[in-house]
């Protein structure tokens, strides 16, 4: 049924009216859920995401993204079929979490640095959770295990890279962005030259640049906060009218013949809408279920991201011609690959002597069991990850360039 069909319009209208009546009937539950969503946004999402969006906007205005693009062109183009500027999105997306990668990809598309197909490839594998959320909130806060954090982080990010390698074949006959010009200058000098030219073209004073960056970041974060609150209310309303329970029952009936533990049906339904609730539900599954199943479901939920994140990404991408459908397909495939990797790597990682010696660090827990990170801890650790990942990408790019035959240079 097409979205332009009048039947679709009627169904959408009746669903919205029914939701309004449900909202009125369960007004107290709706209010408490909205407050809970607002608290999550204000205490977790806002301080952890704002610095990165502001800094990324400033770096793009200063031309740093073009500097990185020239250096990483030999790596990003053959591996992921995206221009070198995608390396900037990859580093920022992996370190700051969803939906920052969508925001940066949108900016690159608006500036003409990536084509439609390249933008779809890029946003499909760079949209991930940030390390502090994966290892801190989920592994330590929910599972109370630092070892689980290593396993979840490894499967989550490794499967994202695998998705990037797979999605390089997305839209194989689509147009590509213009390759970089070959000059006699060394690669670092060409990168500096590209950064300077981009800065001159931008021409905004630094004060104006910083003000625009803050304004853009606030607009994005207010949009994200709205989606978090709305989905927090929707999830609680669905639970109040027992819709989630009904879906969980049907899901367990469908999965049991395939050997799937029925206890995870509630976690899957919760994770379908919101990643935090889904990961928490997976962690409290009865002890009779194998720990590897808990890790696999949690990894799949983290890689899926939840409809709340997808709505944020769709809203950000709506300013461009980048389609959401390839992104959604990638999220489904990412969750499947992450779960399979968990089963594959569980044995070697769980028996690792290094992991067995790891101890649980001391965090100040909240009433929900999630550790509290100050904005400075979040910014500092994520900045270190950005620097480390960027250095790794640059080193790999240089090695690939050195190993390539001289006639291809």
């Amino acid at each position: 049924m097409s979205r332009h069909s009048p039947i679709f319009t009627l169904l959408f209208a009746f669903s919205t009216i029914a939701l309004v009546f449900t909202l009125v009937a369960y007004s107290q539950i709706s209010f408490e859920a909205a407050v809970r969503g607002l608290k999550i946004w204000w205490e977790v999402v806002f301080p952890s995401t704002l610095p990165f969006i502001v800094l990324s906007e400033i770096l793009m205005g200063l031309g740093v993204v073009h500097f990185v693009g020239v250096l990483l062109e030999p790596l990003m183009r053959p591996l992921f079929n995206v221009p070198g500027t995608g390396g900037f999105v990859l580093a920022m997306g992996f370190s700051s979490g969803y939906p920052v990668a969508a925001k940066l990809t949108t900016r690159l598309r608006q500036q003409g640095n990536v084509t439609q197909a390249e933008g779809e490839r890029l946003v499909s594998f760079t949209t991930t959770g940030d390390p502090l959320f994966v290892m801190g909130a989920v592994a330590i806060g929910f599972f109370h295990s630092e070892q689980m954090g290593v396993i979840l982080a490894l499967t989550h990010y490794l499967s994202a890279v695998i998705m990037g390698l797979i999605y390089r074949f997305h839209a194989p006959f689509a147009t590509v962005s213009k390759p970089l010009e070959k000059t006699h200058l060394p690669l670092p000098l060409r990168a500096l030259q590209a950064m300077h030219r981009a800065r001159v073209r931008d021409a905004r004073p630094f004060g104006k640049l910083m003000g625009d960056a803050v304004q853009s970041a606030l607009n994005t974060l207010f949009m994200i906060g709205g989606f978090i609150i709305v989905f927090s209310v929707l999830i609680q309303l669905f639970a109040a009218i027992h819709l989630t329970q009904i879906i969980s029952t049907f899901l367990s009936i469908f999965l049991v013949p395939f050997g799937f533990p029925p206890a995870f049906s509630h976690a899957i339904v919760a994770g379908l809408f919101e990643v935090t609730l889904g990961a928490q539900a997976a962690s409290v599954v009865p002890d009779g279920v194998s720990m590897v199943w808990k890790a696999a479901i949690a990894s799949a939920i983290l890689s899926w991201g939840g409809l709340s994140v997808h709505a944020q990404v769709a809203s950000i991408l709506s300013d461009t011609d980048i389609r959401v459908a390839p992104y959604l397909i990638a999220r489904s495939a990412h969750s499947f690959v992450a779960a399979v990797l968990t089963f594959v790597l569980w044995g070697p990682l769980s028996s690792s002597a290094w992991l067995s010696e790891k101890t649980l660090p001391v965090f100040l827990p909240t009433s929900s069991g999630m550790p509290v990170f100050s904005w400075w801890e979040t910014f500092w650790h994520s900045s270190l990850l950005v620097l480390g990942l960027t250095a790794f990408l640059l080193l790999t790019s240089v090695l690939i360039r050195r190993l390539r035959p001289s006639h291809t240079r």
Side-chain angles (χ1 to χ4, degrees):
M1 182 173 57
S2 171
R3 64 187 180 92
H4 299 291
S5 169
I7 299 178
F8 179 84
T9 303
L10 285 175
L11 288 176
F12 193 77
F14 281 125
S15 299
T16 306
I17 293 172
L19 185 60
V20 170
F21 279 110
T22 306
L23 192 68
V24 174
Y26 296 94
S27 57
Q28 182 64 27
I29 294 177
S30 302
F31 176 78
E32 293 174 355
V35 171
R36 190 179 303 112
L38 178 61
K39 186 176 181 181
I40 293 174
W41 174 75
W42 178 249
E43 295 183 355
V44 179
V45 177
F46 189 90
S48 63
T49 308
L50 177 65
F52 279 96
I53 297 181
V54 172
L55 286 178
S56 63
E57 291 282 348
I58 294 176
L59 291 175
M60 293 182 76
L62 293 175
V64 175
V65 65
H66 294 80
F67 176 84
V68 175
V70 173
L71 292 179
L72 295 183
E73 183 79 8
L75 173 67
M76 301 300 294
R77 187 77 70 174
L79 287 182
F80 305 114
N81 200 13
V82 296
T85 50
F88 178 79
V89 180
L90 177 63
M92 297 299 292
F94 275 29
S95 60
S96 51
Y98 15 66
V100 173
K103 174 68 174 177
L104 298 180
T105 303
T106 297
R107 294 281 284 118
L108 291 179
R109 178 60 183 144
Q110 290 171 339
Q111 294 176 354
N113 294 318
V114 296
T115 64
Q116 177 189 13
E118 289 170 344
E120 291 171 356
R121 297 184 195 117
L122 191 57
V123 75
S124 295
F125 77 95
T126 57
T127 302
T128 62
D130 65 275
L132 284 180
F133 174 71
V134 174
M135 303 186 69
V138 176
I140 297 173
F142 295 154
F143 287 93
H144 309 291
S145 170
E146 189 178 3
Q147 294 91 333
M148 180 67 77
V150 176
I151 294 173
L152 290 179
L154 183 61
T155 56
H156 182 56
Y157 295 114
L158 181 58
S159 58
V161 174
I162 292 175
M163 287 307 305
L165 297 175
I166 295 174
Y167 252 67
R168 77 176 312 280
F169 302 105
H170 166 68
F173 303 108
T175 57
V176 297
S177 55
K178 184 180 179 182
L180 297 175
E181 296 181 1
K182 302 285 186 178
T183 66
H184 65 281
L185 294 175
L187 187 63
L189 290 181
R190 282 162 38 202
L192 288 172
Q193 188 180 61
M195 180 175 67
H196 176 67
R197 288 174 178 173
R199 175 65 186 130
V200 171
R201 284 197 303 267
D202 188 276
R204 285 178 294 175
F206 185 76
K208 173 66 174 173
L209 176 63
M210 191 168 185
D212 292 344
V214 172
Q215 184 177 9
S216 175
L218 288 176
N219 290 338
T220 302
L221 281 169
F222 278 120
M223 180 271 298
I224 293 173
F227 276 112
I228 291 175
I229 294 172
V230 167
F231 272 86
S232 177
V233 172
L234 288 178
I235 291 170
Q236 291 301 316
L237 288 179
F238 291 159
I241 62 177
H242 305 291
L243 180 60
T244 54
Q245 183 61 38
I246 295 173
I247 298 176
S248 299
T249 302
F250 279 105
L251 187 63
S252 61
I253 294 174
F254 174 77
L255 293 176
V256 166
F258 297 94
F260 200 92
F264 284 110
S265 58
H266 174 66
I268 295 174
V269 173
L272 176 67
F273 292 97
E274 214 283 319
V275 60
T276 307
L277 295 177
Q280 185 178 31
S283 68
V284 298
V285 168
D287 296 333
V289 179
S290 174
M291 200 65 181
V292 64
W293 272 102
K294 294 184 180 182
I297 297 302
S299 184
I301 290 172
L302 287 171
S303 300
W304 164 249
L307 292 177
S308 175
V309 171
H310 302 338
Q312 298 167 28
V313 171
S315 177
I316 294 172
L317 296 181
S318 63
D319 293 332
T320 67
D321 57 355
I322 297 176
R323 296 172 298 174
V324 181
Y327 162 81
L328 292 176
I329 296 173
R331 295 276 59 76
S332 302
H334 188 187
S335 63
F336 175 77
V337 174
V340 172
L341 272 181
T342 305
F343 285 108
V344 172
L345 299 178
W346 179 264
L349 289 177
S350 59
S351 59
S352 170
W354 176 76
L355 273 182
S356 62
E357 294 173 358
K358 300 292 285 182
T359 58
L360 187 67
V362 178
F363 289 101
L364 177 64
T366 64
S367 58
S368 62
M370 293 179 60
V372 174
F373 302 97
S374 67
W375 71 270
W376 173 247
E377 288 176 312
T378 302
F379 177 73
W380 173 246
H381 289 94
S382 299
S383 298
L384 290 178
L385 181 68
V386 170
L387 293 175
L389 183 58
T390 303
F392 172 76
L393 293 174
L394 291 175
L395 179 61
T396 307
S397 176
V398 172
L399 290 176
I400 291 177
R401 183 177 175 81
R402 292 293 183 184
L403 293 175
R404 292 172 64 186
S406 58
H407 68 272
T408 62
R409 292 183 182 177

